[in-house]
Amino acid sequence: MDHDSTDHPQPPRKARRGSQPDLPPQDLTAAADVDPATSAAEEDDEARLPEAPEEPAEAIAEGPLAVGHAAIENAVRLAPTSPGVYRMLNTASDVLYVGKAKNVRKRLASYARINAPLPARILRMIAATVTVEIVSTATETEALLLEANLIKQLRPRFNVQLRDDKSFPYILITGDHWAPQILKHRGAQTRPGRYFGPFASAGAVNRTITALQRAFLIRSCTDGFFESRTRPCLLYQIRRCSGPCTREIDFPGYTELVREANDFLSGRSHAVKELLAAEMEKASNELEFETAALYRDRLAALSAIQSQQGINPRTVEEADVFAIHQEGGYSCVEVFFFRTGQNWGNRAYFPRAEKSFTPEEVLASFLAQFYDDKPPPKLILLSHAIEESELLADALCVKAGYKVEISVPKRGEKKELVTHALTNAREALGRKLADTATQSRLLEGMAATLGLPQVPKRIEVYDNSHIQGTNAVGAMIVAGPDGFIKNQYRKFNIKSEGLTPGDDYAMMREVLERRFKRLLKPPEGDVAKAKADDDSFPQWPDLVIIDGGRGQLNAVREIFEGLGLAQVSLMAVAKGPDRDAGRETLFMPDREAIKLEPRDPVLYFIQRLRDEAHRFVIGSHRKLRKKDIREAGLQEIPGIGPSRKRALLHHFGTLKEIERASIADLGKVPGVSAESARKIFEFFHTQPS
């Protein structure tokens, strides 16, 4: 969503010359794009899990249940039958709960019934209540907006509370100077210009602005610094600014750059990239290769922006996507922002809510609070259907001044966006749950759960990756009391000749033999004594974990027996049905299969170990594969001839940007059909084994 305030004024006369520094008074990487009107403190601290769940009812109830019922019954007699908001207070006048109702008297009466089957959370709230305050509203919509505002202000103990609720940054292209400036902006949008956002984080804005500077050469310096220049600064020298301060570019030329930047951020990126590609082709035909290289670099910068944005929808112009996942008594809400058909980032929230709240209840309360001080988009996509969604949509319509739709998609691209957000919510909560327990406690829990002879100091996890036997690589990651020990990671390029393509057992055998034969070879002289006296991180693992089932475990066991290894514990981790996380089966030699509870912290820890090994080996494999691809070029892709190769390079600028492109972006290239786009994408992104 963008906001346009003014047109660009005409340039003044040439600035007075004098001796000036070469550097703008900002950091070249991030600080140069910060609006002075915004807060200096960044707000991208990683979201935290809420504090520990509430104590049992006996520990927090502040009075007998009968006292609470009496207080509510007294309020029922005076309550209106119209819409409104009610607040329940304790003896210290602290607000316990804020609620809204179409009929306040009827809603309060539901709390006053003594024998009503209410959840334990509600009973605890009633027991602590001594006073009820009521505010009447004209409509239920007003009641919903007031409820959300009061919950954010008062943070009642028994409500869902939106935590880490901070403002979102925007990109501002100013409109109060003849040479507009691009910068990051927070707060009230009072300065003339066009605002693009919201972005999920300051980091996303900084990366986008840096790429936009490379693509459109728009200045980021302050007006005062701009007016005092007598020679171009370093940003001009490194081709991140066109130098309007010293008239290295004239007013019409700079205005055209600003127009292109506005078009790109407004969703007309295809037209901008076509124009740059045409200019590059024209310069190349006229043998102006330096100019053609400049256009090539600008094209690559634009492609880099879209590759950093991840998935860019084809049919969704403007929407916010919300997905919620609950595990271990905690909730995570993942939010994705889509504007002008581009993904402008995502953010995970961990609202405070008791375990008894359902995902639908948490999400409904979260949404009302989330948009209390933010403009909503025209479309809101949810992972769960919430009650009173029409009421919330009406409330947001009243607040925004345009129609807002809330839906739970069932199919198509919108469903894919929600599924993607839900996956991110699940992974974010899993990471947070794993981080809340200390590493030592996790290792102790693992030793107790698996029956290990001692708490492991060194854990090694092995995995391998290949595509039909090509570019086969194995990898080892290491973890210990201080977490992942990344300087101990190793990768193994599979070297065995005559290896049957896809023989995972043979690949694992080579990796393990190469790893442990080095340890089995005894060091000599003082080196042996030094290692014996070394009480730091051990070289020998206490536990080896492999990705697989009973078959992989037996194969590795045979390898260890052949090497004479008896002191190392072995475990295999098999994925659950449909590869569902949380339903893994653990296999150990001479023991029955182990199934842990989905919320068990030890299971989360094991999942993290396996996923880290998978990430590392996939990255190692892709590096080998991309090296082969770059050496061979695009000709290796079936159906891609010289014409399409030329069109792809004109559109994206470099082969690296083609590798990063999504199927939708590839399909926008002239001459590339949907089927060809799919083949190109699969060629670069086929999931290795």
Side-chain angles (χ1 to χ4, degrees):
M1 188 178 297
D2 67 274
H3 171 256
D4 192 359
S5 295
T6 66
D7 294 326
H8 304 309
Q10 293 293 319
R13 290 181 298 175
K14 186 77 175 82
R16 180 176 57 85
R17 291 188 175 272
S19 178
Q20 300 294 340
D22 285 333
L23 289 172
Q26 298 107 342
D27 185 343
L28 290 177
T29 58
D33 53 12
V34 178
D35 187 347
T38 63
S39 172
E42 288 301 337
E43 301 174 344
D44 289 324
D45 296 335
E46 193 172 356
R48 296 173 290 108
L49 280 175
E51 53 270 22
E54 299 285 359
E55 296 295 327
E58 295 77 13
I60 69 166
E62 301 182 14
L65 195 58
V67 174
H69 279 301
I72 295 174
E73 286 176 354
N74 185 57
V76 169
R77 291 193 292 270
L78 304 175
T81 57
S82 59
V85 174
Y86 57 91
R87 289 173 287 177
M88 296 183 175
L89 288 72
N90 63 7
T91 54
S93 297
D94 297 326
V95 178
L96 300 172
Y97 182 77
V98 175
K100 63 107 180 94
K102 186 176 182 179
N103 185 322
V104 177
R105 179 181 296 178
K106 186 176 180 180
R107 176 63 57 83
L108 290 177
S110 67
Y111 294 120
R113 291 195 291 269
I114 295 177
N115 296 323
L118 298 174
R121 171 179 59 87
I122 302 298
L123 294 176
R124 292 161 55 206
M125 178 186 70
I126 294 173
T129 301
V130 296
T131 308
V132 179
E133 296 181 351
I134 300 171
V135 177
S136 296
T137 59
T139 64
E140 192 178 5
T141 299
E142 290 183 13
L144 176 63
L145 296 174
L146 178 59
E147 177 197 36
N149 183 268
L150 290 176
I151 291 174
K152 290 183 64 176
Q153 288 184 15
L154 303 174
R155 298 187 177 276
R157 188 171 71 191
F158 291 95
N159 283 100
V160 175
Q161 296 177 17
L162 170 59
R163 296 153 44 84
D164 304 310
D165 181 35
K166 302 170 183 175
S167 63
F168 292 104
Y170 283 71
I171 287 178
L172 167 62
I173 298 181
T174 60
D176 53 1
H177 193 279
W178 75 268
Q181 172 193 8
I182 187 170
L183 45 82
K184 178 175 61 187
H185 180 91
R186 291 186 190 268
Q189 298 179 1
T190 55
R191 186 173 179 180
R194 297 190 67 177
Y195 295 83
F196 301 92
F199 286 79
S201 66
V205 172
N206 291 335
R207 289 190 297 271
T208 302
I209 287 178
T210 298
L212 287 172
Q213 286 179 276
R214 294 192 180 103
F216 300 110
L217 309 178
I218 301 177
R219 72 178 180 99
S220 60
C221 58
T222 63
D223 291 348
F225 182 79
F226 177 91
E227 298 296 343
S228 64
R229 295 306 302 163
T230 60
R231 60 186 181 187
C233 69
L234 181 60
L235 290 178
Y236 174 80
Q237 305 297 337
I238 63 175
R239 295 186 176 181
R240 278 177 53 180
C241 180
S242 55
C245 55
T246 55
R247 309 305 189 270
E248 306 302 325
I249 185 173
D250 58 14
F251 174 66
Y254 191 79
T255 301
E256 178 64 17
L257 292 177
V258 173
R259 184 193 64 77
E260 291 174 357
N262 280 316
D263 285 347
F264 182 84
L265 289 171
S266 299
R268 295 183 288 275
S269 57
H270 183 67
V272 174
K273 295 173 82 171
E274 279 188 340
L275 176 62
L276 293 179
E279 293 292 337
M280 180 178 67
E281 183 75 17
K282 178 182 177 182
S284 178
N285 292 335
E286 295 175 356
L287 304 182
E288 296 179 359
F289 298 116
E290 186 173 347
T291 302
L294 178 61
Y295 284 115
R296 178 203 63 197
D297 294 341
R298 292 179 63 188
L299 271 173
L302 294 184
S303 297
I305 297 175
Q306 294 179 324
S307 67
Q308 291 168 359
Q309 291 170 345
I311 55 171
N312 292 306
R314 301 178 298 276
T315 60
V316 178
E317 182 73 13
E318 175 183 319
D320 286 349
V321 181
F322 294 83
I324 183 170
H325 180 70
Q326 290 185 330
E327 285 286 353
Y330 295 100
S331 301
C332 174
V333 178
E334 189 81 23
V335 187
F336 276 79
F337 303 95
F338 295 96
R339 298 294 186 274
T340 66
Q342 302 176 54
N343 178 5
W344 281 358
N346 60 294
R347 188 169 179 177
Y349 289 86
F350 301 93
R352 183 182 181 276
E354 291 196 5
K355 293 182 179 181
S356 59
F357 280 105
T358 65
E360 292 79 6
E361 291 173 331
V362 174
L363 187 58
S365 184
F366 177 91
L367 286 171
Q369 297 176 57
F370 184 84
Y371 288 115
D372 179 61
D373 57 355
K374 301 177 185 67
K378 297 179 181 179
L379 176 63
I380 298 174
L381 303 177
L382 307 180
S383 61
H384 294 67
I386 62 174
E387 292 186 9
E388 301 180 333
S389 60
E390 294 183 2
L391 176 63
L392 178 60
D394 291 341
L396 296 178
C397 290
V398 170
K399 185 174 181 179
Y402 48 80
K403 183 179 180 181
V404 177
E405 179 186 355
I406 299 176
S407 69
V408 181
K410 302 299 182 183
R411 63 182 67 87
E413 186 182 43
K414 294 177 182 178
K415 176 63 175 177
E416 293 174 2
L417 296 177
V418 171
T419 301
H420 181 70
L422 190 58
T423 299
N424 279 266
R426 185 183 301 110
E427 293 176 352
L429 184 55
R431 290 191 297 268
K432 286 298 176 183
L433 287 174
D435 290 341
T436 55
T438 63
Q439 195 78 358
S440 60
R441 287 177 57 192
L442 288 171
L443 293 173
E444 292 170 0
M446 174 179 281
T449 300
L450 303 179
L452 301 178
Q454 61 183 10
V455 176
K457 290 184 178 180
R458 180 186 180 104
I459 301 173
E460 294 182 358
V461 188
Y462 293 86
D463 200 357
N464 55 51
S465 177
H466 61 92
I467 294 181
Q468 297 180 349
T470 62
N471 296 309
V473 62
M476 173 190 79
I477 66 107
V478 183
D482 295 325
F484 293 117
I485 317 297
K486 295 194 174 183
N487 62 359
Q488 298 277 328
Y489 286 14
R490 297 292 184 270
K491 65 177 180 179
F492 304 83
N493 293 329
I494 304 300
K495 302 176 181 178
S496 297
E497 296 182 1
L499 188 71
T500 303
D503 189 346
D504 289 334
Y505 292 169
M507 294 179 190
M508 186 61 69
R509 179 180 299 107
E510 178 181 339
V511 170
L512 293 175
E513 287 178 350
R514 287 169 58 184
R515 158 65 178 149
F516 286 101
K517 280 183 177 179
R518 297 174 185 174
L519 290 178
L520 289 170
K521 183 179 180 180
E524 300 177 357
D526 295 337
V527 178
K529 185 177 185 301
K531 286 187 176 293
D533 295 338
D534 187 6
D535 194 31
S536 62
F537 194 65
Q539 296 299 309
W540 276 94
D542 300 303
L543 175 65
V544 167
I545 299 176
I546 58 174
D547 186 12
R550 181 74 71 179
Q552 283 83 353
L553 178 70
N554 291 334
V556 174
R557 186 180 184 183
E558 291 178 4
I559 296 170
F560 274 31
E561 289 175 352
L563 295 172
L565 300 177
Q567 71 273 35
V568 179
S569 299
L570 278 176
M571 184 179 72
V573 183
K575 298 178 177 65
D578 299 323
R579 306 174 73 88
D580 288 343
R583 302 180 65 185
E584 288 84 355
T585 303
L586 311 181
F587 296 97
M588 299 188 72
D590 303 323
R591 291 182 56 182
E592 294 293 329
I594 303 172
K595 294 279 289 188
L596 299 181
E597 290 294 326
R599 298 181 180 182
D600 194 321
V602 173
L603 180 59
Y604 277 114
F605 182 50
I606 294 173
Q607 289 172 354
R608 287 189 69 197
L609 293 173
R610 180 202 58 199
D611 293 345
E612 173 68 2
H614 192 63
R615 179 201 66 79
F616 182 60
V617 74
I618 291 294
S620 301
H621 169 85
R622 284 179 175 163
K623 286 180 181 178
L624 290 176
R625 203 161 154 259
K626 286 182 179 180
K627 181 180 178 182
D628 290 348
I629 291 172
R630 290 193 178 99
E631 291 174 353
L634 291 173
Q635 290 89 344
E636 292 295 319
I637 307 177
I640 303 301
S643 298
R644 285 179 177 170
K645 177 183 176 182
R646 190 180 307 111
L648 287 165
L649 290 174
H650 280 179
H651 187 83
F652 293 100
T654 65
L655 180 62
K656 186 175 182 180
E657 298 305 326
I658 298 174
E659 295 173 12
R660 293 177 175 176
S662 66
I663 294 179
D665 292 334
L666 292 167
K668 296 176 183 177
V669 178
V672 177
S673 63
E675 181 64 16
S676 297
R678 183 186 61 79
K679 289 181 179 179
I680 297 169
F681 182 84
E682 290 179 351
F683 182 78
F684 289 112
H685 299 276
T686 299
Q687 183 70 19
S689 301

